[in-house]
Amino acid sequence: MTAKRNWTVFKENLGTQNPVFVQVLGICSTLAVTNVLRNTLVMCLGLVFVTALSNLTLSLLRNRIPPRIRMMVEVLVIACMVILVDIYLKAFYPDISRQLGPYVGLIITNCIIMGHAEAVALTNPPLISFVDGLSAGIGYSYVLLVIACVRELLGTGAIWGLPLLGPNWTNWSVMVMAPGGFFVLAVFIWIIKGWVMRPARKAGA
Amino acid sequence: MEQLGFFTILFSAVFTNNILLTNYLGMCSFLGCSREIKTALGLGTAVSFVTAATSILNWLVYAYILVPFDLVYLRFIVFIVVIAAFVQLVEMIIERVSEPLYNALGIFLPLITVNCAILGVSLFMVIRNYTFWQAFGYGLGAGLGWALAILAMAGIRQRLAQRSRIPRGLEGPGIALIIAGTMALAFMGFNGMVSLN
């Protein structure tokens, strides 16, 4: 029974309840790192770690948190997780940590984490909260990875530093700059909402 | 690198390094609250005020508490607490002092605590080793730049809602992102005047 419910939550967070293209949450701090696939992957792993564990922790604490200061407690728990990620990156991947700049710290204000902590972790038992956090993180990550692939490929002609488009390719520099991120995400949302989600909605109705 | 002055930093934070259009910070409320000019103006004012004030506060806390006591790794927690406490304080003061202003700004203040632009300003300021005046210029400029971007966006969206037909899949966030992208392209025209790094 619970296994089935966990699976449903997992699927919804990846698809119909996806934090990025359905709820349009938390795209702030991470559109900025999708110009290089490697940085995106690191950022996504960090985010999955933080969402999953902060949801788990808050769910374990949920009966002890006074409602008046719950926002404060949520932020503190999330910030602790983010500090762990930050220290780890600084210690083992200093160059990536430098390239990501302030964006690791900005995981704290990522609305996805706050939203899931508020909506799920404070009212549900630990296991399902953990699954929810994990899948929200994954649902977010795969969208970002797709965007990062498109941007890096068109912007530099390479993916993960591997040149794929040959020497005659002219780089679309705008793709690795700020406007590219907006356009790619917009097109992604368009494709998903226009072609992928619509048939599903008809079948459901 | 030469030391950039207060007004140079202020100018470049508004135009060449706009916190929203080049750093993508504060997107959630940017997309969520940009349907009407009135709302956008309220939120923009509140954000400018809070970024300017918290950049100063966080600079002081960082330079006089975190660095001397070797607690720099705690900066995320400390910054977010300072921001949350400041916003709470401002809300209480405004409620006491001015009823109309509270009604206008009140609903936006809680939104600001979770606006990544505010925390982003404090973090950029630390990473770039700003002096006190530079930090203040950057904080104020980033807030004003954000306000400018959301106002422009609200203006465009208000018009758009009246007279245009948008493809189904692009309605709402999709078209807003495309407009933001176009605005970012336009702002790139300011590049090369001054750059912050």
Side-chain angles (χ1 to χ4, degrees):
Chain A
M1 186 61 207
T2 43
K4 203 176 160 195
R5 195 161 152 235
N6 286 341
W7 179 237
T8 317
V9 168
F10 196 85
K11 270 196 308 192
E12 277 183 352
N13 276 334
L14 258 54
T16 53
Q17 290 294 318
N18 187 288
V20 181
F21 56 78
V22 179
Q23 301 171 335
V24 198
L25 284 181
I27 48 181
C28 337
S29 59
T30 336
L31 265 178
V33 298
T34 50
N35 50 2
V36 182
L37 187 60
R38 202 170 56 121
N39 292 355
T40 314
L41 186 68
V42 171
M43 185 73 182
C44 289
L45 290 177
L47 191 117
V48 171
F49 175 84
V50 176
T51 34
L53 287 190
S54 61
N55 253 17
L56 179 69
T57 316
L58 284 167
S59 176
L60 288 169
L61 290 172
R62 72 185 188 282
N63 295 327
R64 300 178 182 276
I65 301 175
R68 287 184 70 102
I69 58 160
R70 67 173 203 291
M71 297 285 260
M72 215 66 219
V73 178
E74 282 164 20
V75 171
L76 286 180
V77 169
I78 295 168
C80 289
M81 302 295 167
V82 173
I83 287 177
L84 291 181
V85 173
D86 184 54
I87 292 177
Y88 179 82
L89 285 183
K90 275 217 176 90
F92 294 100
Y93 302 98
D95 56 324
I96 294 185
S97 167
R98 229 186 349 269
Q99 283 172 25
L100 289 176
Y103 294 102
V104 174
L106 287 168
I107 294 179
I108 298 175
T109 47
N110 193 312
C111 346
I112 295 177
I113 303 184
M114 205 60 181
H116 279 266
E118 185 87 328
V120 180
L122 290 183
T123 47
N124 286 293
L127 181 63
I128 196 150
S129 306
F130 178 75
V131 170
D132 176 76
L134 188 71
S135 54
I138 295 173
Y140 175 77
S141 301
Y142 82 84
V143 177
L144 283 164
L145 290 173
V146 171
I147 294 175
C149 281
V150 174
R151 284 181 75 187
E152 194 180 349
L153 186 67
L154 295 180
T156 63
I159 287 186
W160 202 279
L162 283 175
L164 291 179
L165 293 176
N168 295 325
W169 171 256
T170 310
N171 290 343
W172 300 11
S173 312
V174 74
M175 277 298 168
V176 286
M177 293 196 267
F182 288 114
F183 289 136
V184 176
L185 182 63
V187 170
F188 190 91
I189 291 179
W190 191 6
I191 291 171
I192 295 278
K193 280 202 173 162
W195 284 280
V196 184
M197 304 267 287
R198 201 140 41 127
R201 209 181 299 151
K202 261 181 205 156
Chain B
M1 198 187 95
E2 87 225 77
Q3 282 291 315
L4 297 167
F6 175 78
F7 286 104
T8 321
I9 289 208
L10 183 91
F11 178 81
S12 59
V14 176
F15 293 106
T16 63
N17 280 56
N18 190 292
I19 194 142
L20 197 133
L21 297 172
T22 60
N23 294 321
Y24 304 103
L25 295 180
M27 287 294 296
C28 307
S29 37
F30 176 72
L31 294 177
C33 303
S34 59
R35 279 170 209 283
E36 278 178 47
I37 292 186
K38 224 179 123 194
T39 331
L41 188 64
L43 193 61
T45 317
V47 166
S48 307
F49 176 63
V50 175
T51 39
T54 53
S55 64
I56 299 177
L57 284 176
N58 277 337
W59 191 89
L60 292 173
V61 168
Y62 188 77
Y64 292 108
I65 300 177
L66 294 186
V67 173
F69 291 96
D70 208 11
L71 293 172
V72 175
Y73 63 92
L74 282 181
R75 66 187 185 283
F76 298 150
I77 287 194
V78 174
F79 285 177
I80 197 85
V81 169
V82 168
I83 292 168
F86 179 75
V87 172
Q88 189 85 60
L89 191 73
V90 170
E91 198 179 350
M92 287 180 337
I93 292 175
I94 293 181
E95 193 178 6
R96 269 291 168 82
V97 176
S98 157
E99 191 75 34
L101 187 63
Y102 179 74
N103 289 333
L105 281 188
I107 44 167
F108 298 117
L109 286 169
L111 279 178
I112 287 179
T113 318
V114 287
N115 188 324
C116 17
I118 317 277
L119 183 61
V121 165
S122 294
L123 294 177
F124 270 123
M125 157 191 103
V126 166
I127 287 175
R128 294 175 183 160
N129 289 321
Y130 282 160
T131 60
F132 180 79
W133 284 105
Q134 286 177 321
F136 180 45
Y138 184 65
L140 184 62
L144 292 176
W146 195 89
L148 180 71
I150 195 174
L151 264 179
M153 173 63 115
I156 296 172
R157 281 181 90 171
Q158 244 179 8
R159 282 293 171 88
L160 214 58
Q162 287 163 3
R163 59 178 65 175
S164 54
R165 290 170 55 204
I166 301 164
R168 277 288 291 283
L170 269 182
E171 274 168 10
I175 194 72
L177 283 168
I178 298 231
I179 300 169
T182 319
M183 274 161 60
L185 274 178
F187 271 65
M188 271 167 63
F190 291 108
N191 270 0
M193 294 174 85
V194 209
S195 75
L196 301 176
N197 266 314

